[in-house]
Amino acid sequence: MSQRYYPPTIPRCGAALVGYFAPHEGSSTLAYGIYHIENLAAYEAYRARLAADPLGQENYLFAQSEKFILKEDRTWLRNVSNPKGGTA
């Protein structure tokens, strides 16, 4: 993903970017963008705002044209090291 537009776009649309994680060793076809979003309803609202955001649209089209996104999966993770949420 291009970080040209996502850092300001992501929080403006309602998520907190934890970071982008790319392979260091092993498979070079898997990377992660990790965000903190409070719940599924907030996630759905974030996705709608991001899809409507001009910079979000531009960045997504750029990522597709450059083949940065070959497959998109979503997984919900729970922070088990800090079960009450928040920061460590």
Side-chain angles (χ1 to χ4, degrees):
M1 293 259 156
S2 169
Q3 292 190 26
R4 295 181 302 167
Y5 302 125
Y6 266 19
T9 305
I10 290 170
R12 182 174 64 237
C13 291
L17 176 64
V18 174
Y20 295 114
F21 298 84
H24 174 67
E25 293 183 21
S27 172
S28 63
T29 61
L30 181 66
Y32 295 97
I34 299 179
Y35 310 89
H36 180 266
I37 300 177
E38 200 60 38
N39 55 45
L40 183 57
Y43 172 73
E44 294 297 336
Y46 160 76
R47 294 280 296 172
R49 286 190 296 270
L50 188 62
D53 186 274
L55 292 178
Q57 293 170 359
E58 183 179 340
N59 196 64
Y60 187 74
L61 291 174
F62 174 75
Q64 284 188 316
S65 72
E66 296 297 316
K67 304 212 183 309
F68 294 157
I69 301 171
L70 301 177
K71 179 181 174 186
E72 192 171 357
D73 292 320
R74 293 176 183 87
T75 300
W76 294 92
L77 304 172
R78 177 178 297 140
N79 183 345
V80 296
S81 62
N82 189 3
K84 294 186 180 192
T87 58

